[in-house]
Amino acid sequence: MAKKKAESDDIIQPLSDIDKIIHEPARLMIMSYLYVVESADFVFLRNQTGLTDGNLSSHLSKLETAGYVEVEKKFKGKKPQTILKLSKQGRESFEVYRKKMERMLSGLSEK
Amino acid sequence: MAENIDLKVIEKNILKSAHQHGFFDMFIGFVVTGMAFGPFFRESLPSPHKYFLWPLILVIIADLLLFIIIKYVIQPRTGIAKPGPSLKSMRKKLFIVTFIQFVIHLTFVILLVIGIGRGIHVEGMMFILMIGLFFIPIFAIIAYLMKYPRLYFIGMLIWLAIFINELLYDPIDYRIRWLLSYGIIGGIIFFIGLVIFIKFLKKYPLKKEEVS
């Protein structure tokens, strides 16, 4: 019984190390899109993720505060344009997150 | 919002978003339909290269329209993304395929202009087969790389236009023949693109507060 619990703890333990900023579904979606592109603007991300303007802004603020996303605001003519890209730290954190999740999920599927 | 995050699916979505607006279909439809009007207009073009000038004029007009529509109508609605490494490598493959296609076309044009190959007559079903072997794989490769399934269908339709044109070679006047083959098929491709484009405009209305 104790051995089984220890095994289960080995699998579940990495959950506590998971980056909770990235782990939230909407932010994970944003990070994934920004991971496969070099940069994208706000409109592109909104269309691809299906998030509302307010929701996307709020998640982007959290990612920016965590240092994962770089936000550049500029004007195109008279209209504002927001360009977003993953920072070096954001890219590395996303890779670490992916590896941890892969390891944890593959461990669960074997049991 | 999708529940499963798969980077390959995300890349596929990004590729699909590049042609979801249907304007590429309209672009191809415009050029094919324009070809149908070639016999009516090309006689007024300067010789000796009037046969190549008409398609060239069509492609230039279509390219200009494509540039304007993408910049001022499509991008403000879809947004802009700079491709990452794997998307860049796909673009490279796409460039190589289209470059090979361009080189083959150019070689044909040069051979015709300098007179080599005029003695060779490939007609009837053999001509259709050769054109099919050339067109369909090129369209299929581009469709595969761009995740653009409609392009398989468009490639087949263009081949069908060539087939109809060849089938009606003797029975009717050549101008009517071109209208019936390239005109109708080009019109179908253009119409499909137009329907998708209208749906796209309705799905992505322009919001004033943020532009791409």
Side-chain angles (χ1 to χ4, degrees), chain A residues 65-92:
Chain A
T65 309
Y68 291 170
V69 169
E70 288 169 7
V71 181
E72 184 195 347
K73 286 184 186 284
K74 56 184 186 179
F75 278 87
K76 198 172 185 180
K78 287 179 180 174
K79 293 176 179 177
Q81 188 185 28
T82 309
I83 306 288
L84 308 145
K85 65 186 281 191
L86 280 191
S87 64
K88 196 173 173 238
Q89 187 196 344
R91 207 160 271 278
E92 284 167 2

Side-chain angles (χ1 to χ4, degrees), chain B residues 103-206:
Chain B
V103 168
I104 294 170
H105 264 123
L106 194 69
T107 311
F108 271 121
V109 170
I110 291 169
L111 287 177
L112 284 170
V113 169
I114 61 176
I116 295 173
R118 277 191 184 153
I120 304 166
H121 292 287
V122 184
E123 287 175 353
M125 289 301 153
M126 186 55 83
F127 171 76
I128 294 163
L129 186 70
M130 280 178 69
I131 292 285
L133 284 174
F134 173 68
F135 258 105
I136 295 170
I138 293 283
F139 271 87
I141 294 167
I142 297 172
Y144 173 75
L145 289 173
M146 286 182 74
K147 312 292 175 212
Y148 188 177
R150 285 197 309 278
L151 212 54
Y152 293 110
F153 179 61
I154 290 172
M156 291 298 286
L157 279 178
I158 292 175
W159 180 77
L160 184 67
I162 297 163
F163 176 77
I164 295 169
N165 194 291
E166 196 62 28
L167 206 67
L168 302 173
Y169 198 82
D170 278 333
I172 48 174
D173 178 70
Y174 77 102
R175 281 173 293 198
I176 306 296
R177 176 162 56 94
W178 277 66
L179 276 180
L180 285 175
S181 53
Y182 294 103
I184 291 176
I185 297 288
I188 292 170
I189 299 170
F190 187 86
F191 183 73
I192 292 169
L194 184 66
V195 170
I196 296 166
F197 189 58
I198 291 168
K199 279 185 180 172
F200 165 82
L201 293 180
K202 282 183 180 171
K203 190 177 174 187
Y204 298 104
L206 197 58

Side-chain angles (χ1 to χ4, degrees), chain A residues 4-65:
Chain A
K4 264 192 180 177
K5 188 179 181 309
E7 276 177 5
S8 139
D9 282 351
D10 282 348
I11 298 161
I12 303 298
Q13 184 58 38
L15 256 180
S16 57
D17 301 334
I18 287 290
D19 189 331
K20 288 178 185 63
I21 297 280
I22 301 176
H23 196 58
E24 199 281 331
R27 286 196 288 272
L28 178 57
M29 181 72 100
I30 295 167
M31 291 287 285
S32 305
Y33 271 99
L34 289 177
Y35 184 76
V36 294
V37 297
E38 196 181 299
S39 67
D41 68 2
F42 187 87
V43 178
F44 179 85
L45 263 187
R46 185 187 60 203
N47 287 336
Q48 294 291 332
T49 57
L51 295 168
T52 61
D53 286 6
N55 222 340
L56 181 58
S57 290
S58 142
H59 288 302
L60 282 171
S61 296
K62 282 176 189 159
L63 290 169
E64 190 186 9
T65 309

